[in-house]
Amino acid sequence: MADGPRGGRSAVGRLALATMLGNHPLRRARTLMSVGWARQRLVPEAALALLVARIRLLAVPFPKLAARWGSLIPVGDPRLTMPEASADAAELARAIGWAVTATASVMPFKAMCIQQAVAARGMLARRGVASVLHYGAGRDEAGGLVAHAWLDAASVKVTGYPISPGIAEIGAFVPPQ
């Protein structure tokens, strides 16, 4: 890329560099570090939570994991209605959702929706915020079976949104009473 008249990159050079970097992991990592301290401190915890969720989902049988997540209840069950949450809990849920979603994009593995939901759920639980982990399935454009997980807490859509129109909810895990 050519230098501009003042020794810096020309506008064309800056545009070319930005185009080459595009959605590059280093650029996303720099963005993670440019947010305020309150959210920035959640990033390492989110990275660790995503890694732990990945390992557990690979190593532990699903029935054992599901038992730890709480009761699997059907769609429409009144227990899916979460109690009113404070504004602080809603802000915390938004911040954790941002941290997990943003950190997932720079992990050295593809952090799937279930890993993100489990990671965020653990982070929220450590802070005393209840959540509902939804699980659904459907067909993709090619007709193949796809599954999806998403998390709600404190009236906030935490992870896994937007949900594809082809996904139907099967059930949800509510925290143990």
Side-chain angles (χ1 to χ4, degrees):
M1 284 168 258
D3 285 341
R6 293 184 214 121
R9 298 221 186 268
S10 68
V12 172
R14 287 190 307 273
L15 179 61
L17 182 61
T19 302
M20 284 185 337
L21 287 176
N23 206 12
H24 191 273
L26 291 177
R27 183 172 186 187
R28 290 189 307 244
R30 188 174 54 203
T31 300
L32 285 177
M33 295 292 117
S34 69
V35 298
W37 176 248
R39 284 192 172 194
Q40 198 177 59
R41 68 181 173 77
L42 293 171
V43 171
E45 182 183 356
L48 181 60
L50 285 164
L51 180 61
V52 168
R54 178 178 173 85
I55 291 168
R56 283 187 179 153
L57 285 161
L58 289 172
V60 178
F62 189 80
K64 282 189 174 186
L65 286 175
R68 292 185 67 196
W69 296 339
S71 304
L72 179 62
I73 58 175
V75 178
D77 190 296
R79 291 176 289 175
L80 280 177
T81 306
M82 297 295 294
E84 239 354 91
S86 70
D88 288 343
E91 180 52 37
L92 182 60
R94 276 190 285 281
I96 288 174
W98 172 86
V100 169
T101 303
T103 304
S105 70
V106 297
M107 294 301 288
F109 54 85
K110 183 172 171 59
M112 306 297 286
C113 57
I114 186 74
Q115 295 162 349
Q116 292 179 43
V118 169
R121 184 176 182 136
M123 291 174 70
L124 287 163
R126 280 190 291 282
R127 291 163 173 85
V129 179
S131 61
V132 176
L133 193 158
H134 301 269
Y135 195 74
R139 300 274 178 195
D140 62 13
E141 293 80 27
L145 184 63
V146 293
H148 186 60
W150 60 99
L151 187 72
D152 296 324
S155 301
V156 172
K157 297 173 178 179
V158 181
T159 64
Y161 286 90
I163 302 163
S164 172
I167 298 292
E169 185 173 3
I170 297 169
F173 292 94
V174 295
Q177 301 290 326

